[in-house]
Amino acid sequence: YYQQSNSFADYYRTTLLYLACVELEELQERERQRLAYDLSIAALVSDSIYNFGELLLHPILDSLTKTEHAWLRDLLFAFNRGDLGAYQILQNHLSANRLLQQHQGFLYQKISLSALTQLVFSRSPQDRSMTFQTISDETKVAPDEIEHLIMKALSLGLLKGQIDQVAEVARISWVQPKVLGREGIEGMRTRLTEWDSGVSRLGNWVEGVGQDVWAA
């Protein structure tokens, strides 16, 4: 029903709930591929789903590997990374599906939002004040689209922060979590290492300053 009525978010959620209640091995291969395909389309064209984490981590998605629809799986991961370069390559496949073809403008905006949130997520919390030009350079989104893009992300709850329109600076205080790929995990490891080093330096400083107090 949800699929026929284009209720993409409802179809996405109810189908994932269904998959949580069945063993994939009980489903025929063709059925697994159909569900993976339909879930992917719903996730992409829904105007309320901006985090594909549950689907990306679900083994149902592997049903598309080594099929004619393998590009769709690649497209989902490109969206998760906010990879506009990969999107530009994969968008040649959009004409293979009527819904994707009809939503091309929306899909570009959606992956641009993902590129923005990925940029913020990749930075440490102390380094999330960025000029519009920096955001444009790193996300590959056109400079004249940046302010509107940030406002859209704020309105959707993907980011929290403030915009200085005069200085053309965005100060981001929070970003919606994402599923981490290998590069993301490595980036997180680096930030944790830097945090640990910072804590150690602070501890050494406190110990050094405290010696004078304790001696007194």
Side-chain angles (χ1 to χ4, degrees):
Y1 168 76
Y2 290 133
Q3 189 176 23
Q4 295 300 320
S5 61
N6 288 342
S7 299
F8 304 116
D10 289 328
Y11 171 79
Y12 179 83
R13 295 188 182 99
T14 54
T15 303
L16 284 175
L17 284 173
Y18 163 72
L19 288 173
C21 300
V22 300
E23 295 291 337
L24 285 184
E25 293 74 14
E26 297 176 359
L27 302 176
Q28 294 184 357
E29 183 178 1
R30 181 174 295 182
E31 177 66 5
R32 293 198 299 268
Q33 291 174 1
R34 183 189 69 79
L35 288 171
Y37 182 88
D38 290 342
L39 274 168
S40 299
I41 298 298
L44 288 167
V45 300
S46 170
D47 61 3
S48 62
I49 299 174
Y50 288 85
N51 189 331
F52 308 147
E54 193 172 357
L55 177 57
L56 295 178
L57 294 174
H58 200 290
I60 190 71
L61 203 56
D62 293 333
S63 303
L64 297 178
T65 305
K66 296 181 180 179
T67 71
E68 61 179 319
H69 303 306
W71 61 270
L72 191 53
R73 181 180 183 277
D74 295 338
L75 186 62
L76 281 172
F77 279 95
F79 265 76
N80 187 61
R81 297 191 307 272
D83 190 339
L84 276 168
Y87 173 74
Q88 289 170 355
I89 295 172
L90 292 167
Q91 69 177 346
N92 294 328
H93 293 283
L94 299 184
S95 59
N97 179 275
R98 177 181 56 82
L99 285 171
L100 294 182
Q101 190 173 27
Q102 291 175 348
H103 288 78
Q104 286 193 61
F106 170 73
L107 290 173
Y108 174 76
Q109 181 189 70
K110 194 167 187 175
I111 196 169
S112 297
L113 285 166
S114 184
L116 172 61
T117 56
Q118 180 63 31
L119 169 61
V120 176
F121 188 78
S122 67
R123 289 174 168 244
S124 68
Q126 297 78 26
D127 188 30
R128 290 179 175 173
S129 289
M130 296 169 283
T131 65
F132 290 3
Q133 187 60 54
T134 296
I135 295 172
S136 176
D137 291 342
E138 297 200 28
T139 62
K140 310 307 179 188
V141 176
D144 60 349
E145 298 176 9
I146 296 300
E147 183 177 353
H148 175 73
L149 188 68
I150 298 170
M151 293 175 66
K152 184 69 174 179
L154 292 171
S155 69
L156 289 169
L158 303 178
L159 299 175
K160 293 180 182 178
Q162 297 177 328
I163 299 176
D164 185 332
Q165 294 175 310
V166 176
E168 295 191 337
V169 172
R171 298 181 177 88
I172 308 302
S173 58
W174 178 88
V175 58
Q176 184 185 76
K178 285 193 171 191
V179 171
L180 297 179
R182 289 183 180 179
E183 292 183 3
I185 292 173
E186 180 61 26
M188 183 66 72
R189 187 189 70 81
T190 300
R191 292 207 296 275
L192 287 172
T193 301
E194 292 173 350
W195 174 81
D196 183 63
S197 298
V199 171
S200 296
R201 289 194 298 270
L202 178 60
N204 292 335
W205 178 82
V206 170
E207 183 179 0
V209 172
Q211 286 178 351
D212 296 334
V213 176
W214 298 329

